[in-house]
Amino acid sequence: MEHVLIEPNPPRPERADAARNRMRILEAAARLFAERDPNQVTMDEIARAAGVGRGTLYRRYPDRAAIAAALLDEHERAIQEELLRGAPPLGPGAPPADRLAAFYGAMVKLLEQHAHLVLGTEVGRSRFVTGAYGFWRIHVRTLLVAAQVPDPDRLLDILLAPISPDVYLQQRVNLNYSPERITGALSYLARQITAAPTVEPEP
Amino acid sequence: MEHVLIEPNPPRPERADAARNRMRILEAAARLFAERDPNQVTMDEIARAAGVGRGTLYRRYPDRAAIAAALLDEHERAIQEELLRGAPPLGPGAPPADRLAAFYGAMVKLLEQHAHLVLGTEVGRSRFVTGAYGFWRIHVRTLLVAAQVPDPDRLLDILLAPISPDVYLQQRVNLNYSPERITGALSYLARQITAAPTVEPEP
DNA sequence: AGCTTAAGCGGACACGAAGTCCACTTAAAA
DNA sequence: TTTTAAGTGGACTTCGTGTCCGCTTAAGCT
């Protein structure tokens, strides 16, 4: 007996018109998201801007968040690649404190360009279930372990909280802080958190 | 010439039926918010649960956020009072590191009881424009100044980010961390951030 | 007590967005 | 060319929001 088929559902290649429409949708959505608060952009608008029917849009993307996630995907992948195999201090080789600071720097750069999009991906509590969030989490964990921070797990979500899109926009837009200033603050946080503990942990 | 009237609009006392309905609304909303995700509770539901018409509800509260804010108000006031005039380490008198840790502890306690409500107050980016947020901000600033942290302002929103309701619920519900563990992590953060800087600031 | 007035009330209504459904079209394999 | 099913698009249903306006009633005045 021979297993010719291993994949449970052999994925048919995408049809030509489907691919064309997918591109149209992504382009139209990118444009709309850029010029306005993504959460105010309606699915209908995106469909019309893409020259596509509602049904077509919903076929692939169940909501705005899915579209924003698709648009964000490549940028996030690029950073993930650099974290794993790029040059220090972002990639391996530098001390944990420097790498953590560099990670924050990369996230600020990402947010500076695409904060709208990241905000657009947030539907309810969705941020934490994204694949990307899990990746950042693991990365930070590795760095904290390397820095010998006690009980690193409890700190992960706390350290990722400041790079949520709304906190970033609060600092950037409402308070008019420069990206450099925010990066500086996060570097400070990175160094202080990876420094030797000031008090002994409970016995 | 004598100023008899200083207040520009002498506020008439609330009418009896109005007061009664306000209480009904608050009670009904508290119940609904407690048993379900506040953002899924509709204004119409609240009105019906309170035995009140839609118009009556909208007269006082323009949206869910306003109701949640009203419900939260007293609790937040209580904490603010303690921060200003309570016993150390929450109130004045203790070292800044301890006070910051105590502040985090108080916020965890608040979130533990009313995370739903705090979540309910969030409509769009509203969190940062609340009066309470401004208060926490000033308080933390005072502590950082006392601890001689360099350029404290840049750190304020970063240090408040971990006590946003969604980050708290992510740790508490999704990850099943105990409140004590979260408090512990935040205490660690408080101590490390107020400790002497590990590297010199830029010249 | 009766009268007056405006705050308060509540339900009907208009509007807009979400999401579904299904008959038609068309790419691509046979 | 025929076949087939993926793909399309727009009409339709459902649901929540917020407003509007005629009626009710608390409370001040005489």
Side-chain angles (χ1 to χ4, degrees), chain A residues 164-185:
Chain A
S164 86
D166 34 8
V167 172
Y168 187 74
L169 289 176
Q170 148 77 358
Q171 299 178 94
R172 193 73 181 79
V173 179
N174 297 0
L175 300 175
N176 206 26
Y177 287 180
S178 71
E180 292 72 28
R181 187 157 196 228
I182 300 173
T183 305

Side-chain angles (χ1 to χ4, degrees), chain B residues 132-157:
Chain B
Y133 188 82
F135 189 97
W136 309 146
R137 226 166 161 281
I138 291 171
H139 181 67
V140 171
R141 185 174 196 288
T142 309
L143 298 180
L144 294 187
V145 168
Q148 304 193 14
V149 172
D151 194 0
D153 285 300
R154 62 179 182 175
L155 288 170
L156 301 181
D157 301 278

